[in-house]
C-alpha cells in the first residue's frame, strides 16, 4: 500500500485505496465459487477433541477484527478458552441456565420451533471442542480518569465481526456453532471481564467429529430473500 499518496480532510489524513478488480467473467466465477464454498458451512454440534494450532485461532480472530464498526471503535473482545478447567466451569453454568430456559423460560411455540434441530440443555461441545471463543461486546470504554465513552452500533458491529469469524472458521476447515446460553452474565464472572464488557456469543471451535450429523434443513431460495427494485 502506497502511504505517500494521501489527502487531508479536516486535518485528518486519508490514504489512497485501490480495490483489486476483476473482469465481469471473473467476478461471476469468483462470486459463484465463494457462494458454493460458503453454502457448505453448517452449524456443527459434534466436535473432535483434536488439538488445533493456536495460530489458526489467532488468524480467525484477526479476520473477525476486520469487520466494520461504528466510528471504527472496534467494540469487541475475543476471549479464547483452552483451559479444561475453565471449559468445565462454563459448561456447568451454561447447562444450568439452559435447563431453566428449556424447562421454564422458553415458550411452547419456541420449543416447537427448535424441535427439528434436536437441541436440548446438554452442551457437551463446550468441553469437547479444543477452544471456546467467547465474544464480548463493549457498549462503552472507560478512560484512565474513569470517564465512560459510548461506542456506537455495538450489536451491529459485534454481529458483523462474529459473521466474519464464523466464515474464517469454515475457511480453515474447522467447525463452530453460535451458542447463546441465556442469560450470559455467568461468562463475565467466570472470565473476570471488566465492567464495560457484556457476553455476546459463545463459539466452540475445532475439528468436526469423525461422524457428525446435522439437521436436514434447507436455505431459503433467492426469490424468497431478494427483491430487485
Ligand atoms: N440457546 C439455546 C436454545 C436455542 C435457541 C435458538 I433461537 C436456536 O436456534 C438454537 C438453540 C441453545 O443454545 O440450545
Amino acid at each position: 500500500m502506497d502511504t505517500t499518496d494521501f489527502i487531508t480532510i479536516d486535518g485528518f489524513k486519508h490514504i489512497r485505496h485501490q480495490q483489486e478488480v476483476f473482469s465481469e467473467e471473473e467476478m461471476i466465477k469468483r462470486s459463484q465459487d465463494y457462494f458454493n464454498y460458503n453454502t457448505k458451512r453448517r452449524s456443527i454440534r459434534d466436535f473432535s477433541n483434536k488439538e488445533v494450532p493456536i495460530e489458526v485461532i489467532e488468524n480467525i480472530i484477526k479476520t473477525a477484527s476486520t469487520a466494520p464498526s461504528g466510528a471504527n471503535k472496534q467494540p469487541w473482545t475475543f476471549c479464547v478458552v483452552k483451559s479444561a478447567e475453565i471449559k468445565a466451569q462454563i459448561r456447568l453454568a451454561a447447562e444450568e441456565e439452559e435447563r431453566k430456559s428449556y424447562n421454564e423460560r422458553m415458550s411452547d411455540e419456541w420449543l416447537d420451533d427448535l424441535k427439528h434441530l434436536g437441541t436440548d440443555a446438554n452442551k457437551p461441545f463446550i468441553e469437547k471442542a479444543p477452544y471456546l471463543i467467547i465474544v464480548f461486546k463493549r457498549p462503552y470504554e472507560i478512560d484512565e480518569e474513569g470517564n465512560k465513552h459510548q461506542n456506537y452500533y455495538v450489536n451491529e458491529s459485534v454481529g458483523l465481526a462474529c459473521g466474519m469469524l464464523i466464515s474464517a472458521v469454515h475457511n480453515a476447515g474447522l467447525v463452530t456453532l453460535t451458542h447463546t446460553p441465556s442469560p450470559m452474565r455467568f461468562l463475565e464472572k467466570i472470565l473476570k471481564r471488566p465492567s464495560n464488557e457484556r457476553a455476546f456469543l459463545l463459539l466452540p471451535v475445532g475439528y468436526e467429529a469423525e461422524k457428525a450429523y446435522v439437521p436436514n434443513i434447507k436455505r431459503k431460495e433467492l426469490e424468497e430473500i431478494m427483491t430487485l427494485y
Side-chain angles (χ1 to χ4, degrees):
M1 184 68 66
D2 177 12
T3 50
T4 59
D5 186 358
F6 67 92
I7 58 170
T8 304
I9 301 174
D10 270 352
F12 290 92
K13 197 171 172 178
H14 291 247
I15 54 173
R16 179 85 191 272
H17 180 267
Q18 279 177 297
Q19 175 63 36
E20 188 180 7
V21 290
F22 308 101
S23 68
E24 285 193 0
E25 199 186 336
E26 268 180 294
M27 253 197 304
I28 291 166
K29 167 92 169 63
R30 287 176 66 96
S31 57
Q32 242 162 20
D33 288 348
Y34 197 60
F35 165 67
N36 290 342
Y37 186 66
N38 276 292
T39 199
K40 286 193 270 184
R41 187 203 56 77
R42 295 295 308 261
S43 288
I44 298 298
R45 293 179 172 79
D46 301 329
F47 283 78
S48 150
N49 59 4
K50 188 177 170 195
E51 277 288 322
V52 169
I54 186 70
E55 200 181 342
V56 176
I57 302 296
E58 290 169 354
N59 288 335
I60 285 166
I61 291 170
K62 284 200 285 186
T63 302
S65 81
T66 67
S69 65
N72 190 36
K73 295 290 183 183
Q74 304 171 55
W76 43 61
T77 302
F78 301 90
C79 291
V80 178
V81 178
K82 185 179 198 256
S83 153
E85 201 182 307
I86 300 174
K87 279 193 265 180
Q89 280 178 48
I90 291 175
R91 179 180 178 184
L92 197 75
E95 288 184 337
E96 202 176 300
E97 289 298 352
E98 291 295 82
R99 267 195 300 276
K100 283 186 209 150
S101 292
Y102 277 88
N103 297 335
E104 299 157 34
R105 293 193 279 239
M106 286 151 78
S107 67
D108 287 344
E109 185 176 7
W110 190 350
L111 290 170
D112 214 46
D113 276 339
L114 288 184
K115 256 200 185 120
H116 70 296
L117 301 177
T119 62
D120 59 27
N122 298 314
K123 306 295 174 191
F125 51 75
I126 295 178
E127 284 190 278
K128 193 85 191 274
Y131 287 104
L132 302 178
I133 301 179
I134 296 122
V135 185
F136 289 86
K137 65 177 178 182
R138 298 167 66 102
Y140 56 91
E141 302 295 331
I142 308 168
D143 67 20
E144 278 107 77
E145 283 95 59
N147 301 308
K148 288 183 184 180
H149 302 276
Q150 284 303 305
N151 287 327
Y152 313 97
Y153 298 100
V154 170
N155 289 319
E156 291 83 347
S157 304
V158 181
L160 289 162
C162 288
M164 300 193 70
L165 190 149
I166 291 164
S167 60
V169 169
H170 179 58
N171 179 64
L174 300 175
V175 296
T176 186
L177 79 136
T178 53
H179 179 41
T180 50
S182 177
M184 293 183 109
R185 298 301 296 258
F186 68 89
L187 290 165
E188 294 149 35
K189 294 195 192 101
I190 292 173
L191 299 172
K192 303 183 174 70
R193 300 313 303 162
S195 60
N196 65 327
E197 291 191 2
R198 298 282 172 274
F200 187 81
L201 203 56
L202 189 163
L203 299 123
V205 178
Y207 290 93
E208 183 174 70
E210 216 161 283
K211 225 171 170 196
Y213 291 92
V214 292
N216 187 20
I217 51 180
K218 297 277 170 291
R219 294 200 164 91
K220 288 183 179 177
E221 294 298 328
L222 187 63
E223 295 67 39
E224 297 174 84
I225 59 165
M226 175 175 157
T227 308
L228 181 63
Y229 289 90

